[in-house]
Amino acid sequence: MPVSPKLPPFDPSDPLGIDDLLEPEDLAVRDTVRRWAADRVLPHVAEWYEAGELPGIRELAKELGGIGALGMSLSGYGCAGASAVQYGLACLELEAADSGIRSLVSVQGSLAMYAIHRFGSEEQKQRWLPPMASGDVIGCFGLTEPDHGSDPASMRTYAKRDGGDWVLSGRKMWITNGSVASVAVVWAQTEDGIRGFVVPTDAPGFSAPEIKHKWSLRASVTSELVLDDVRLPADAVLPEVRGLRGPLSCLSHARYGIVWGAMGAARACFEAAVDYARSREQFGRPIGGFQLTQAKLADMAVELHKGILLAHHLGRRMDAGRLRPEQVSFGKLNNVREAIDICRTARTVLGANGISLEYPVMRHATNLESVLTYEGTVEMHQLVLGKALTGLDAFR
């Protein structure tokens, strides 16, 4: 009679045993980012959020560069060359601290650096990628406009030729890192279609006023980009792409990071709810001993770890070169939606304390309201999947 193997103990922090799917190098990346976030973000982030600012962002960027978190899934030019799964784990740990910190890294690496790395000239790569990877240069990505968010094909920012130069005019809105960036990747209409431009932010006519009065992503720099006849040399254009394929491929890469990151915010809220339920007493015993509270915690754990498993699956597909944009939409749609539900349920476990910045729950919940709609709204991802499922285009 065969002997049953001894089962490992149940791990409440990893109930599905997902860590068994990770390599030692994956765990090392995760632990490095987790320690950095615990040391440099968590002690201060509630204060930053309440003040609506991210002080010392340039120092934070250099530290993130020092641990290899900027452009980490890119190869060469000072980038870490990490796997997609390792990048995802980093996003999860960063967003477990705060969505604004993950956004800083995501915009730098998955949007600005990714665009230059994939579509730039060798000269552009050599000039910009090494200092961006080290965090000495911060970048931003200008696609969304005040009147054109989900419809980038209708953008009004325009670049025209003037002799050997390009002249850019227009406005971009809701741009992370904009006011502190030294370089902006800006997408504009041209007579040859949509093109991307690498714009030094000290160019005459460029300005980036910071957007104030936000009630979400408050520990993040968000800006408007104003381009008032910004003159650029001919070699400022990204030479390897024309049309919407360029910015949309960058967005797909960034959305992949969100699939992981949203689960970081959800995990932070879930852990806060579990800790609170174990210690908060009502009617003579901890509320974690009541059936209704346990039901909430069980449902939160199921959706959290299903979401992490989904992110891991998509990461393995990306590493194998098999990840489709529709699958990224699947992940973002599910994981952000479930993360918000986890945060809201955690708030009910904490009761009135759930709205206090002494706990992370309300901060994550409000941040996720932005994550829900940026880089593709719920409706856009539903239509992407609807088209893939039916073969019928509902965008038109």
Side-chain angles (χ1 to χ4, degrees), residues 124 127 164-168 197-198 200 230-237:
Q124 290 167 338
R127 177 181 178 185
D165 294 342
W166 290 94
V167 178
L168 272 68
F197 295 85
V198 182
V230 175
R231 183 173 292 272
L232 300 170
D235 61 4
V237 70

Side-chain angles (χ1 to χ4, degrees), residues 249-393:
S249 66
C250 299
L251 287 176
S252 185
H253 198 263
R255 289 164 179 162
Y256 165 76
I258 292 172
V259 176
W260 285 90
M263 292 295 97
R267 188 191 72 191
C269 293
F270 171 70
E271 291 176 347
V274 171
D275 289 344
Y276 192 84
R278 287 171 173 161
S279 60
R280 173 69 169 179
E281 291 193 1
Q282 290 288 288
F283 306 104
R285 58 184 171 133
I287 62 172
F290 290 100
Q291 292 180 2
L292 289 177
T293 302
Q294 289 195 359
K296 291 179 180 181
L297 297 176
D299 288 345
M300 293 160 68
V302 166
E303 295 307 323
L304 170 62
H305 293 281
K306 281 165 56 180
I308 294 174
L309 195 59
L310 170 58
H312 184 275
H313 172 68
L314 297 183
R316 292 299 185 209
R317 291 190 66 81
M318 179 177 278
D319 280 327
R322 296 177 56 81
L323 182 64
R324 293 190 53 84
E326 297 91 342
Q327 293 165 341
V328 178
S329 287
F330 193 116
K332 183 179 187 289
L333 178 63
N334 180 81
N335 281 14
V336 180
R337 203 158 55 181
E338 295 303 328
I340 288 177
D341 192 55
I342 289 169
C343 291
R344 290 172 177 163
T345 304
R347 215 289 294 168
T348 69
V349 174
L350 271 70
N353 283 321
I355 70 169
S356 170
L357 281 176
E358 296 296 320
Y359 300 88
V361 175
M362 186 58 73
R363 174 169 54 82
H364 282 301
T366 56
N367 282 340
L368 284 172
E369 291 295 338
S370 291
V371 179
L372 184 70
T373 56
Y374 73 18
E375 298 181 26
T377 64
V378 168
E379 294 81 4
M380 298 304 290
H381 291 297
Q382 287 173 323
L383 294 181
V384 166
L385 288 175
K387 179 181 177 181
L389 293 169
T390 66
L392 302 174
D393 188 352

Side-chain angles (χ1 to χ4, degrees), residues 81-258:
S83 71
V85 168
Q86 290 167 358
Y87 172 59
L89 290 166
C91 288
L92 187 150
E93 296 301 330
L94 291 168
E95 194 144 358
D98 192 80
S99 300
I101 302 299
R102 198 268 309 147
S103 292
L104 164 63
V105 170
S106 181
V107 169
Q108 177 87 346
S110 290
L111 292 178
M113 292 178 67
Y114 181 83
I116 296 170
H117 190 276
R118 182 167 179 183
F119 303 121
S121 66
E122 185 61 29
E123 291 75 16
Q124 290 167 338
K125 296 175 187 178
Q126 293 286 354
R127 177 181 178 185
W128 293 110
L129 292 179
M132 294 176 79
S134 67
D136 292 307
V137 166
I138 295 176
C140 66
F141 185 87
L143 178 63
T144 300
E145 296 191 353
D147 298 319
H148 301 284
S150 295
D151 183 18
S154 298
M155 70 176 70
R156 294 176 182 169
T157 298
Y158 197 85
K160 63 182 180 181
R161 294 184 183 273
D162 184 16
D165 294 342
W166 290 94
V167 178
L168 272 68
S169 296
R171 295 169 61 205
K172 301 294 183 178
M173 199 68 171
W174 304 113
I175 308 302
T176 298
N177 301 346
S179 302
V180 295
S182 297
V183 61
V185 173
V186 176
W187 300 90
Q189 297 278 9
T190 75
E191 61 183 8
D192 299 321
I194 292 172
R195 303 294 301 272
F197 295 85
V198 182
V199 184
T201 60
D202 60 359
F206 182 98
S207 60
E210 187 170 355
I211 296 172
K212 300 291 188 179
H213 310 299
K214 299 180 299 178
W215 286 110
S216 180
L217 291 179
R218 290 175 58 78
S220 177
V221 174
T222 310
S223 314
E224 178 184 10
L225 304 186
V226 179
L227 300 108
D228 186 8
D229 291 335
V230 175
R231 183 173 292 272
L232 300 170
D235 61 4
V237 70
L238 294 172
E240 299 300 326
V241 71
R242 295 170 189 258
L244 274 178
R245 179 176 67 87
L248 293 183
S249 66
C250 299
L251 287 176
S252 185
H253 198 263
R255 289 164 179 162
Y256 165 76
I258 292 172

Side-chain angles (χ1 to χ4, degrees), residues 36-60:
W36 180 86
D39 292 341
R40 292 293 287 117
V41 179
L42 290 178
H44 314 289
V45 69
E47 179 183 343
W48 298 341
Y49 187 92
E50 190 165 27
E53 60 186 17
L54 184 58
I57 183 173
R58 290 181 173 84
E59 289 74 17
L60 292 173

